[in-house]
Amino acid sequence: MDKSLNYLKEILIQWQNSVLDQLPKILLAIIILLLFVFFAKVAKKITLNFYTKTIKAHSEIANFFSSVIYFFFILSGVFIALQLAGLEKLLTHVLAGAGIIGIIAGFAFKDVASNIFAGLLLKIQNPFTVDDWVEIDGNYGVVTQVGWITTKIKTVPGQEVFVPNQLVYSNTFTNYSTLKKRRIIFKTGVAYGDNLERVKAAALDEVYKIPELLKDEDVDFYFTEIGNSSYNFQLRFWIHFNNNKDYQKAMSDVIMRIKKRFEQENFSIAYPVTTVDFGIKGGVSLFDKKVNVDIGEK
């Protein structure tokens, strides 16, 4: 019984001595940790104020960088406090565990991390903003939200499409709202028998009557090829562009005007026809001129 009491007494004395030895280190570690917490808050506030006064845009980016600085100071304070308290072994185990967890998380969340990093680049570079008309990964519509992980687009049919930000930088995309104008490329053809000079003059005359036309931009007309049943051409011109309705209206106007004018000029908008050769070089289109066929008497 006396031996047990003596052993317990020795343990209490060792514990008391250990506490007395470690108490200053623990207090110093707590003070250091509190100082780093204070520095972290000050650094975060300075970063936000500096960003606001200099750039004055994209507050979410400022919050991101200020949060990174804040957690850097906090983690630094924790590591230094553990070392001062004599808990190096605990710190080593924590770092080893964090490394293993980081590797696992890296494989599990690599796509999420890629999308977040791409979202950060989008907010820094700012290639498009909300209400811009874009085409991303085959999706054409207006941007409604640029998030950290996805970009939300409302397509012309009315669906909301969420495009991962990683796809924005791994594929090409088009922003139709950047220039505030858009080019109409109208393609069709006329029959072999039509006068090409008159076709060109009539088409250009109708384009200049379109209200959406940007008159200070060039209007181009080119015959592009001799097709199987037509002379094909392209008519290209620029219009004011604020939304997709401007583009659709201009395309509709040019189609109706060209059709009406060609009917007045007796031009034929070409469609596939069959040419029958009656001995005339090159054949004769049944739609270009009358063909008299003598079948003889029975």
Side-chain angles (χ1 to χ4, degrees), residues 16-104:
Q16 182 180 2
N17 294 332
S18 176
V19 170
L20 292 175
D21 291 339
Q22 293 295 327
L23 186 58
K25 295 180 180 179
I26 294 173
L27 292 176
L28 180 60
I30 293 174
I31 293 173
I32 293 297
L33 182 58
L34 292 176
L35 284 175
F36 269 88
V37 171
F38 173 75
F39 291 148
K41 292 181 178 180
V42 172
K44 182 177 181 180
K45 185 176 181 180
I46 292 174
T47 303
L48 287 173
N49 291 337
F50 175 78
Y51 191 92
T52 304
K53 291 179 180 179
T54 54
I55 303 179
K56 300 179 180 179
H58 306 302
S59 59
E60 57 274 350
I61 299 178
N63 291 327
F64 175 79
F65 282 113
S66 61
S67 298
V68 170
I69 294 174
Y70 177 81
F71 284 111
F72 170 77
F73 276 97
I74 295 295
L75 291 176
S76 299
V78 171
F79 290 153
I80 294 174
L82 289 175
Q83 286 182 332
L84 291 175
L87 300 176
E88 293 88 353
K89 292 183 179 179
L90 176 62
L91 178 60
T92 302
H93 291 310
V94 170
L95 291 175
I100 295 173
I101 294 174
I103 294 173
I104 296 174

Coordinates of all heavy atoms in Angstrom, one line a residue, residues 16-104:
Q16 N 3.2 17.7 -12.1 CA 3.3 19.0 -11.7 C 4.5 19.7 -12.3 O 4.4 20.9 -12.8 CB 3.3 19.1 -10.1 CG 3.4 20.5 -9.6 CD 3.4 20.6 -8.1 OE1 3.5 19.5 -7.4 NE2 3.4 21.7 -7.5
N17 N 5.6 19.1 -12.2 CA 6.8 19.6 -12.8 C 6.7 19.8 -14.3 O 7.1 20.8 -14.9 CB 8.0 18.7 -12.5 CG 8.4 18.7 -11.0 OD1 8.1 19.7 -10.3 ND2 9.0 17.6 -10.6
S18 N 6.0 18.9 -15.0 CA 5.8 18.9 -16.4 C 4.9 20.1 -16.8 O 5.2 20.9 -17.7 CB 5.3 17.6 -17.0 OG 5.0 17.7 -18.3
V19 N 3.9 20.3 -16.0 CA 2.9 21.4 -16.2 C 3.6 22.7 -16.0 O 3.5 23.6 -16.8 CB 1.7 21.2 -15.3 CG1 0.8 22.5 -15.4 CG2 0.8 20.0 -15.8
L20 N 4.4 22.8 -14.9 CA 5.1 24.0 -14.6 C 6.1 24.4 -15.7 O 6.3 25.5 -16.1 CB 5.8 23.9 -13.3 CG 4.8 23.9 -12.1 CD1 5.6 23.7 -10.8 CD2 4.0 25.2 -12.0
D21 N 6.7 23.3 -16.3 CA 7.7 23.5 -17.3 C 7.0 23.9 -18.6 O 7.6 24.8 -19.4 CB 8.6 22.3 -17.6 CG 9.5 22.0 -16.4 OD1 9.8 22.9 -15.6 OD2 9.9 20.8 -16.2
Q22 N 5.9 23.3 -18.9 CA 5.2 23.6 -20.2 C 4.3 24.8 -20.2 O 4.0 25.3 -21.2 CB 4.4 22.3 -20.6 CG 5.2 21.1 -20.9 CD 6.0 21.3 -22.1 OE1 5.7 22.0 -23.0 NE2 7.2 20.6 -22.1
L23 N 3.9 25.2 -19.0 CA 3.0 26.3 -18.9 C 3.5 27.6 -19.6 O 2.7 28.2 -20.3 CB 2.6 26.6 -17.4 CG 1.5 27.6 -17.2 CD1 0.2 27.2 -17.9 CD2 1.3 27.9 -15.7
P24 N 4.7 28.0 -19.4 CA 5.2 29.2 -20.1 C 5.2 29.0 -21.6 O 4.8 30.0 -22.4 CB 6.6 29.4 -19.6 CG 6.6 28.7 -18.3 CD 5.7 27.5 -18.4
K25 N 5.5 27.8 -22.1 CA 5.5 27.6 -23.5 C 4.1 27.6 -24.1 O 3.9 28.1 -25.2 CB 6.1 26.2 -23.8 CG 7.6 26.1 -23.5 CD 8.1 24.7 -23.8 CE 9.6 24.6 -23.4 NZ 10.1 23.2 -23.7
I26 N 3.1 27.0 -23.3 CA 1.8 27.1 -23.7 C 1.2 28.5 -23.8 O 0.5 28.9 -24.8 CB 0.9 26.2 -22.8 CG1 1.3 24.7 -22.9 CG2 -0.6 26.3 -23.2 CD1 0.6 23.8 -22.0
L27 N 1.5 29.3 -22.8 CA 1.1 30.7 -22.8 C 1.7 31.4 -23.9 O 1.0 32.2 -24.6 CB 1.5 31.3 -21.4 CG 0.7 30.8 -20.2 CD1 1.2 31.5 -18.9 CD2 -0.8 31.1 -20.3
L28 N 3.0 31.2 -24.2 CA 3.6 31.9 -25.3 C 3.0 31.4 -26.6 O 2.8 32.3 -27.5 CB 5.1 31.6 -25.3 CG 5.9 32.2 -26.4 CD1 5.8 33.7 -26.4 CD2 7.4 31.8 -26.3
A29 N 2.7 30.2 -26.7 CA 2.1 29.6 -28.0 C 0.7 30.3 -28.2 O 0.3 30.7 -29.3 CB 1.9 28.1 -27.9
I30 N -0.1 30.4 -27.1 CA -1.4 31.1 -27.2 C -1.3 32.5 -27.6 O -2.0 33.0 -28.5 CB -2.2 31.0 -25.9 CG1 -2.5 29.5 -25.6 CG2 -3.4 31.8 -25.9 CD1 -3.1 29.3 -24.2
I31 N -0.3 33.2 -27.0 CA -0.1 34.6 -27.4 C 0.3 34.8 -28.9 O -0.2 35.6 -29.6 CB 1.0 35.2 -26.5 CG1 0.5 35.3 -25.1 CG2 1.4 36.6 -27.0 CD1 1.6 35.7 -24.1
I32 N 1.2 33.9 -29.3 CA 1.6 33.9 -30.8 C 0.4 33.6 -31.7 O 0.2 34.3 -32.7 CB 2.8 32.9 -31.0 CG1 4.0 33.3 -30.3 CG2 3.0 32.7 -32.5 CD1 4.6 34.6 -30.8
L33 N -0.4 32.7 -31.3 CA -1.6 32.3 -32.1 C -2.5 33.5 -32.2 O -3.0 33.8 -33.3 CB -2.3 31.1 -31.5 CG -3.5 30.6 -32.3 CD1 -3.1 30.2 -33.7 CD2 -4.1 29.4 -31.6
L34 N -2.7 34.2 -31.0 CA -3.6 35.3 -31.1 C -3.1 36.5 -31.9 O -3.8 37.2 -32.6 CB -3.9 35.8 -29.6 CG -4.7 34.9 -28.7 CD1 -4.7 35.4 -27.3 CD2 -6.1 34.7 -29.3
L35 N -1.7 36.6 -31.9 CA -1.1 37.7 -32.7 C -1.3 37.4 -34.2 O -1.6 38.3 -35.0 CB 0.4 37.8 -32.3 CG 0.7 38.5 -31.0 CD1 2.2 38.4 -30.8 CD2 0.3 40.0 -31.1
F36 N -1.1 36.1 -34.5 CA -1.3 35.8 -35.9 C -2.8 35.9 -36.4 O -3.0 36.3 -37.5 CB -0.8 34.3 -36.2 CG 0.6 34.3 -36.6 CD1 1.6 34.2 -35.6 CD2 1.0 34.3 -37.9 CE1 3.0 34.1 -36.0 CE2 2.3 34.3 -38.3 CZ 3.3 34.2 -37.3
V37 N -3.7 35.6 -35.5 CA -5.1 35.9 -35.8 C -5.4 37.4 -36.1 O -6.1 37.8 -37.0 CB -6.0 35.3 -34.7 CG1 -7.5 35.8 -34.9 CG2 -6.0 33.8 -34.6
F38 N -4.8 38.2 -35.2 CA -4.9 39.6 -35.4 C -4.3 40.1 -36.7 O -4.9 40.9 -37.5 CB -4.2 40.4 -34.2 CG -4.1 41.8 -34.4 CD1 -5.3 42.6 -34.2 CD2 -2.9 42.5 -34.7 CE1 -5.2 44.0 -34.3 CE2 -2.9 43.8 -34.9 CZ -4.0 44.6 -34.7
F39 N -3.0 39.6 -37.0 CA -2.4 39.9 -38.3 C -3.2 39.5 -39.5 O -3.2 40.2 -40.5 CB -1.0 39.3 -38.3 CG 0.0 39.9 -37.3 CD1 1.0 39.2 -36.8 CD2 -0.1 41.3 -37.0 CE1 1.9 39.8 -35.9 CE2 0.8 41.9 -36.1 CZ 1.8 41.1 -35.5
A40 N -3.8 38.3 -39.3 CA -4.6 37.8 -40.4 C -5.8 38.7 -40.7 O -6.1 39.0 -41.9 CB -5.1 36.4 -40.1
K41 N -6.5 39.2 -39.7 CA -7.6 40.1 -39.9 C -7.2 41.4 -40.5 O -7.8 41.9 -41.4 CB -8.3 40.3 -38.6 CG -9.0 39.1 -38.0 CD -9.7 39.4 -36.7 CE -10.5 38.2 -36.2 NZ -11.2 38.4 -34.9
V42 N -6.0 41.9 -40.0 CA -5.5 43.2 -40.6 C -5.1 43.0 -42.0 O -5.4 43.9 -42.9 CB -4.3 43.7 -39.7 CG1 -3.7 44.9 -40.4 CG2 -4.8 44.0 -38.3
A43 N -4.4 41.9 -42.3 CA -4.0 41.7 -43.7 C -5.2 41.5 -44.7 O -5.2 42.0 -45.8 CB -3.1 40.4 -43.8
K44 N -6.2 40.9 -44.2 CA -7.4 40.7 -45.0 C -8.1 42.0 -45.3 O -8.5 42.3 -46.4 CB -8.4 39.7 -44.3 CG -9.6 39.5 -45.1 CD -10.5 38.5 -44.4 CE -11.8 38.2 -45.2 NZ -12.7 37.2 -44.5
K45 N -8.2 42.9 -44.3 CA -8.8 44.2 -44.4 C -8.0 45.1 -45.4 O -8.5 45.8 -46.2 CB -8.9 44.9 -43.1 CG -9.7 46.2 -43.1 CD -9.9 46.7 -41.7 CE -10.6 48.1 -41.7 NZ -10.8 48.6 -40.4
I46 N -6.6 45.0 -45.2 CA -5.8 45.9 -46.1 C -5.9 45.4 -47.5 O -6.0 46.2 -48.5 CB -4.3 45.8 -45.6 CG1 -4.2 46.5 -44.2 CG2 -3.4 46.4 -46.6 CD1 -2.8 46.3 -43.6
T47 N -5.9 44.1 -47.7 CA -6.1 43.6 -49.1 C -7.4 44.0 -49.8 O -7.4 44.4 -50.9 CB -6.0 42.0 -49.1 OG1 -4.8 41.6 -48.5 CG2 -6.1 41.5 -50.5
L48 N -8.5 43.9 -49.0 CA -9.8 44.3 -49.5 C -9.8 45.8 -49.9 O -10.3 46.2 -50.9 CB -10.9 44.0 -48.5 CG -11.3 42.5 -48.4 CD1 -12.3 42.3 -47.3 CD2 -11.8 42.0 -49.7
N49 N -9.2 46.6 -49.0 CA -9.2 48.1 -49.2 C -8.3 48.5 -50.4 O -8.7 49.3 -51.2 CB -8.7 48.8 -47.9 CG -9.7 48.7 -46.8 OD1 -10.9 48.5 -47.0 ND2 -9.2 48.9 -45.6
F50 N -7.2 47.8 -50.5 CA -6.3 48.1 -51.6 C -6.9 47.7 -52.9 O -6.9 48.5 -53.9 CB -5.0 47.3 -51.4 CG -4.0 47.5 -52.6 CD1 -3.3 48.6 -52.8 CD2 -3.9 46.4 -53.5 CE1 -2.4 48.7 -53.8 CE2 -3.0 46.6 -54.6 CZ -2.3 47.7 -54.7
Y51 N -7.5 46.5 -53.0 CA -8.2 46.1 -54.2 C -9.3 47.0 -54.6 O -9.5 47.3 -55.8 CB -8.7 44.7 -54.0 CG -9.1 44.0 -55.3 CD1 -8.2 43.2 -56.1 CD2 -10.4 44.1 -55.8 CE1 -8.6 42.6 -57.3 CE2 -10.8 43.5 -57.0 CZ -9.9 42.8 -57.7 OH -10.3 42.2 -58.9
T52 N -10.1 47.4 -53.6 CA -11.3 48.3 -53.9 C -10.9 49.6 -54.4 O -11.5 50.2 -55.4 CB -12.1 48.5 -52.6 OG1 -12.5 47.2 -52.1 CG2 -13.3 49.3 -52.9
K53 N -9.8 50.2 -53.9 CA -9.3 51.5 -54.3 C -8.6 51.5 -55.7 O -8.7 52.5 -56.4 CB -8.4 52.1 -53.3 CG -9.1 52.4 -52.0 CD -8.1 53.0 -51.0 CE -8.8 53.4 -49.6 NZ -7.9 53.9 -48.6
T54 N -8.0 50.4 -56.0 CA -7.2 50.3 -57.3 C -8.0 49.8 -58.4 O -8.0 50.4 -59.5 CB -5.9 49.5 -57.1 OG1 -6.3 48.2 -56.6 CG2 -5.0 50.1 -56.1
I55 N -8.6 48.7 -58.3 CA -9.3 48.0 -59.4 C -10.8 48.3 -59.5 O -11.3 48.6 -60.5 CB -9.0 46.5 -59.4 CG1 -7.5 46.2 -59.4 CG2 -9.7 45.8 -60.6 CD1 -7.2 44.8 -59.3
K56 N -11.4 48.3 -58.3 CA -12.9 48.7 -58.2 C -13.8 47.8 -59.1 O -14.7 48.3 -59.7 CB -13.1 50.1 -58.6 CG -12.3 51.1 -57.8 CD -12.5 52.5 -58.2 CE -11.8 53.5 -57.4 NZ -11.9 54.9 -57.8
A57 N -13.5 46.5 -59.1 CA -14.3 45.6 -59.9 C -14.1 44.2 -59.4 O -13.0 43.9 -58.8 CB -14.0 45.7 -61.4
H58 N -15.0 43.3 -59.6 CA -14.9 41.9 -59.3 C -14.6 41.7 -57.8 O -13.5 41.3 -57.4 CB -13.8 41.2 -60.1 CG -14.0 41.4 -61.6 ND1 -15.2 41.0 -62.2 CD2 -13.2 41.9 -62.5 CE1 -15.1 41.2 -63.5 NE2 -13.9 41.8 -63.7
S59 N -15.6 42.1 -56.9 CA -15.4 42.0 -55.5 C -15.1 40.5 -55.1 O -14.5 40.3 -54.1 CB -16.6 42.5 -54.8 OG -17.8 41.8 -55.2
E60 N -15.7 39.5 -55.8 CA -15.5 38.2 -55.4 C -14.0 37.7 -55.5 O -13.6 36.9 -54.8 CB -16.4 37.2 -56.3 CG -16.2 37.3 -57.8 CD -17.1 38.4 -58.4 OE1 -17.9 38.9 -57.7 OE2 -16.9 38.7 -59.5
I61 N -13.3 38.3 -56.5 CA -11.9 38.0 -56.6 C -11.1 38.6 -55.4 O -10.2 37.9 -54.9 CB -11.3 38.6 -57.9 CG1 -12.0 37.9 -59.1 CG2 -9.8 38.3 -58.0 CD1 -11.6 38.5 -60.5
A62 N -11.5 39.8 -55.0 CA -10.9 40.4 -53.8 C -11.1 39.5 -52.6 O -10.2 39.3 -51.8 CB -11.4 41.8 -53.6
N63 N -12.3 39.1 -52.4 CA -12.7 38.2 -51.3 C -11.9 36.9 -51.3 O -11.4 36.4 -50.3 CB -14.2 37.9 -51.3 CG -15.0 39.1 -50.9 OD1 -14.6 40.0 -50.2 ND2 -16.2 39.2 -51.5
F64 N -11.7 36.4 -52.5 CA -10.9 35.1 -52.7 C -9.5 35.3 -52.2 O -9.0 34.5 -51.4 CB -11.0 34.6 -54.1 CG -10.1 33.4 -54.4 CD1 -10.6 32.2 -54.0 CD2 -8.9 33.6 -55.0 CE1 -9.8 31.0 -54.3 CE2 -8.1 32.5 -55.2 CZ -8.5 31.2 -54.9
F65 N -8.8 36.3 -52.8 CA -7.4 36.5 -52.4 C -7.2 36.9 -50.9 O -6.3 36.5 -50.3 CB -6.8 37.6 -53.3 CG -6.5 37.1 -54.7 CD1 -7.1 37.6 -55.8 CD2 -5.5 36.2 -54.9 CE1 -6.8 37.1 -57.1 CE2 -5.1 35.7 -56.1 CZ -5.8 36.2 -57.2
S66 N -8.1 37.7 -50.4 CA -8.0 38.1 -49.0 C -8.3 36.9 -48.1 O -7.6 36.8 -47.1 CB -9.1 39.2 -48.7 OG -10.4 38.8 -48.9
S67 N -9.1 36.0 -48.5 CA -9.4 34.8 -47.7 C -8.1 33.9 -47.8 O -7.8 33.3 -46.7 CB -10.6 34.0 -48.3 OG -11.7 34.8 -48.1
V68 N -7.5 33.8 -48.9 CA -6.2 33.0 -49.0 C -5.2 33.6 -48.0 O -4.5 32.8 -47.3 CB -5.7 33.0 -50.4 CG1 -4.3 32.4 -50.5 CG2 -6.6 32.2 -51.3
I69 N -5.0 34.9 -48.0 CA -4.0 35.5 -47.1 C -4.4 35.3 -45.7 O -3.6 35.0 -44.8 CB -3.9 37.1 -47.4 CG1 -3.3 37.2 -48.8 CG2 -3.1 37.8 -46.4 CD1 -3.3 38.7 -49.3
Y70 N -5.7 35.4 -45.4 CA -6.2 35.2 -44.0 C -5.8 33.8 -43.5 O -5.3 33.6 -42.4 CB -7.7 35.5 -44.0 CG -8.3 35.2 -42.6 CD1 -8.3 36.2 -41.6 CD2 -9.0 34.0 -42.3 CE1 -8.8 36.0 -40.4 CE2 -9.5 33.8 -41.1 CZ -9.5 34.8 -40.1 OH -10.0 34.6 -38.9
F71 N -6.2 32.8 -44.3 CA -5.9 31.4 -43.9 C -4.4 31.1 -43.8 O -3.9 30.3 -43.1 CB -6.6 30.4 -44.8 CG -8.1 30.3 -44.5 CD1 -9.0 30.8 -45.4 CD2 -8.6 29.8 -43.3 CE1 -10.4 30.8 -45.2 CE2 -9.9 29.7 -43.1 CZ -10.8 30.2 -44.0
F72 N -3.6 31.8 -44.7 CA -2.2 31.6 -44.6 C -1.6 32.0 -43.3 O -0.8 31.3 -42.6 CB -1.5 32.4 -45.7 CG 0.0 32.5 -45.6 CD1 0.8 31.4 -46.0 CD2 0.6 33.6 -45.2 CE1 2.2 31.4 -45.9 CE2 2.0 33.7 -45.0 CZ 2.8 32.6 -45.4
F73 N -2.1 33.2 -42.8 CA -1.6 33.7 -41.5 C -2.1 32.8 -40.3 O -1.4 32.5 -39.4 CB -2.1 35.1 -41.2 CG -1.2 36.2 -41.8 CD1 -1.5 36.7 -43.1 CD2 -0.1 36.6 -41.2 CE1 -0.7 37.7 -43.6 CE2 0.8 37.6 -41.7 CZ 0.5 38.1 -42.9
I74 N -3.3 32.3 -40.4 CA -3.9 31.4 -39.4 C -3.1 30.1 -39.3 O -2.7 29.7 -38.2 CB -5.4 31.1 -39.6 CG1 -6.2 32.4 -39.5 CG2 -5.9 30.1 -38.7 CD1 -6.2 33.0 -38.1
L75 N -2.9 29.5 -40.5 CA -2.1 28.2 -40.5 C -0.7 28.4 -40.0 O -0.1 27.6 -39.3 CB -2.1 27.6 -41.9 CG -3.5 27.1 -42.4 CD1 -3.4 26.6 -43.8 CD2 -4.0 26.0 -41.5
S76 N -0.1 29.5 -40.4 CA 1.3 29.8 -39.9 C 1.3 30.0 -38.4 O 2.2 29.4 -37.7 CB 1.8 31.1 -40.6 OG 1.8 31.0 -42.0
G77 N 0.3 30.7 -37.9 CA 0.2 30.8 -36.4 C 0.1 29.5 -35.7 O 0.7 29.3 -34.6
V78 N -0.8 28.6 -36.2 CA -1.0 27.3 -35.6 C 0.3 26.5 -35.6 O 0.6 25.9 -34.6 CB -2.1 26.6 -36.4 CG1 -2.2 25.1 -35.9 CG2 -3.5 27.3 -36.1
F79 N 1.0 26.5 -36.7 CA 2.2 25.7 -36.8 C 3.3 26.2 -35.8 O 3.9 25.4 -35.1 CB 2.8 25.7 -38.2 CG 1.9 24.9 -39.2 CD1 1.9 25.2 -40.6 CD2 1.1 23.9 -38.8 CE1 1.1 24.5 -41.4 CE2 0.3 23.1 -39.7 CZ 0.3 23.5 -41.0
I80 N 3.5 27.5 -35.8 CA 4.5 28.1 -34.9 C 4.1 27.8 -33.4 O 4.9 27.5 -32.6 CB 4.6 29.6 -35.2 CG1 5.2 29.8 -36.6 CG2 5.5 30.2 -34.1 CD1 5.3 31.2 -37.0
A81 N 2.8 28.0 -33.1 CA 2.3 27.7 -31.7 C 2.6 26.3 -31.3 O 3.0 26.0 -30.2 CB 0.8 28.1 -31.6
L82 N 2.3 25.3 -32.2 CA 2.6 23.9 -31.9 C 4.1 23.7 -31.6 O 4.4 22.9 -30.7 CB 2.0 23.0 -33.0 CG 0.5 22.9 -33.1 CD1 0.1 22.1 -34.3 CD2 -0.1 22.3 -31.9
Q83 N 4.9 24.3 -32.4 CA 6.3 24.1 -32.2 C 6.8 24.7 -30.9 O 7.6 24.1 -30.2 CB 7.1 24.8 -33.4 CG 7.0 24.0 -34.7 CD 7.8 24.6 -35.8 OE1 8.0 25.8 -35.8 NE2 8.3 23.8 -36.7
L84 N 6.3 25.9 -30.5 CA 6.6 26.5 -29.3 C 6.1 25.7 -28.1 O 6.8 25.7 -27.0 CB 6.1 28.0 -29.2 CG 6.7 29.0 -30.1 CD1 5.9 30.3 -30.0 CD2 8.2 29.2 -29.8
A85 N 5.0 25.1 -28.2 CA 4.5 24.2 -27.1 C 5.1 22.9 -27.0 O 4.8 22.1 -26.2 CB 3.0 24.1 -27.3
G86 N 6.1 22.6 -27.9 CA 6.8 21.3 -27.9 C 6.0 20.2 -28.5 O 6.2 19.0 -28.1
L87 N 5.1 20.5 -29.3 CA 4.3 19.4 -30.0 C 4.7 19.2 -31.4 O 3.9 19.1 -32.3 CB 2.8 19.9 -29.9 CG 2.3 20.1 -28.5 CD1 0.8 20.6 -28.6 CD2 2.3 18.8 -27.7
E88 N 6.1 19.1 -31.6 CA 6.6 18.8 -33.0 C 6.1 17.5 -33.5 O 5.8 17.4 -34.7 CB 8.1 18.9 -32.9 CG 8.7 20.2 -32.6 CD 8.9 20.4 -31.1 OE1 8.4 19.6 -30.4 OE2 9.5 21.4 -30.7
K89 N 6.0 16.5 -32.7 CA 5.5 15.2 -33.2 C 4.1 15.3 -33.7 O 3.7 14.7 -34.7 CB 5.7 14.2 -32.1 CG 7.1 13.8 -31.7 CD 7.2 12.7 -30.7 CE 8.6 12.4 -30.3 NZ 8.7 11.3 -29.3
L90 N 3.3 16.0 -32.9 CA 1.9 16.2 -33.3 C 1.8 16.9 -34.6 O 1.0 16.6 -35.5 CB 1.1 16.9 -32.2 CG -0.4 17.3 -32.6 CD1 -1.2 16.0 -32.8 CD2 -1.0 18.1 -31.5
L91 N 2.7 18.0 -34.8 CA 2.7 18.7 -36.0 C 3.1 17.9 -37.2 O 2.6 18.0 -38.3 CB 3.7 19.9 -35.8 CG 3.9 20.8 -37.1 CD1 2.6 21.4 -37.5 CD2 5.0 21.9 -36.8
T92 N 4.1 17.0 -36.9 CA 4.6 16.1 -38.0 C 3.5 15.1 -38.4 O 3.2 14.9 -39.6 CB 5.8 15.2 -37.5 OG1 6.8 16.1 -37.1 CG2 6.3 14.3 -38.6
H93 N 2.7 14.6 -37.5 CA 1.6 13.7 -37.8 C 0.5 14.5 -38.5 O -0.1 13.9 -39.5 CB 1.0 13.1 -36.5 CG 2.0 12.1 -35.9 ND1 2.6 11.0 -36.6 CD2 2.4 12.0 -34.6 CE1 3.3 10.3 -35.7 NE2 3.2 10.9 -34.5
V94 N 0.3 15.7 -38.1 CA -0.8 16.5 -38.8 C -0.4 16.8 -40.2 O -1.2 16.7 -41.2 CB -1.0 17.8 -38.0 CG1 -1.8 18.8 -38.9 CG2 -1.6 17.6 -36.7
L95 N 0.9 17.1 -40.5 CA 1.4 17.4 -41.8 C 1.3 16.2 -42.7 O 0.9 16.2 -43.9 CB 2.8 18.0 -41.8 CG 2.9 19.4 -41.2 CD1 4.4 19.8 -41.1 CD2 2.2 20.4 -42.0
A96 N 1.7 15.0 -42.1 CA 1.7 13.8 -42.9 C 0.2 13.4 -43.2 O -0.1 13.0 -44.4 CB 2.3 12.6 -42.0
G97 N -0.7 13.6 -42.3 CA -2.1 13.3 -42.5 C -2.6 14.2 -43.6 O -3.4 13.8 -44.4
A98 N -2.3 15.5 -43.5 CA -2.8 16.5 -44.4 C -2.2 16.2 -45.8 O -3.0 16.4 -46.8 CB -2.3 17.9 -44.0
G99 N -1.0 15.7 -45.9 CA -0.5 15.3 -47.2 C -1.2 14.2 -47.9 O -1.5 14.2 -49.0
I100 N -1.5 13.1 -47.1 CA -2.3 12.0 -47.6 C -3.7 12.4 -48.0 O -4.2 12.1 -49.1 CB -2.3 10.9 -46.5 CG1 -0.9 10.3 -46.3 CG2 -3.2 9.7 -47.0 CD1 -0.8 9.4 -45.1
I101 N -4.3 13.2 -47.1 CA -5.7 13.7 -47.4 C -5.6 14.6 -48.7 O -6.5 14.5 -49.5 CB -6.2 14.5 -46.2 CG1 -6.5 13.5 -45.1 CG2 -7.6 15.1 -46.6 CD1 -6.9 14.2 -43.8
G102 N -4.6 15.4 -48.8 CA -4.5 16.2 -50.0 C -4.3 15.5 -51.3 O -4.9 15.8 -52.3
I103 N -3.6 14.4 -51.2 CA -3.4 13.5 -52.4 C -4.7 12.9 -52.8 O -5.2 12.9 -54.0 CB -2.3 12.4 -52.2 CG1 -1.0 13.1 -52.0 CG2 -2.3 11.4 -53.3 CD1 0.1 12.1 -51.6
I104 N -5.5 12.4 -51.8 CA -6.7 11.7 -52.1 C -7.7 12.8 -52.6 O -8.5 12.5 -53.6 CB -7.3 11.1 -50.8 CG1 -6.4 9.9 -50.4 CG2 -8.7 10.5 -51.0 CD1 -6.7 9.3 -49.0

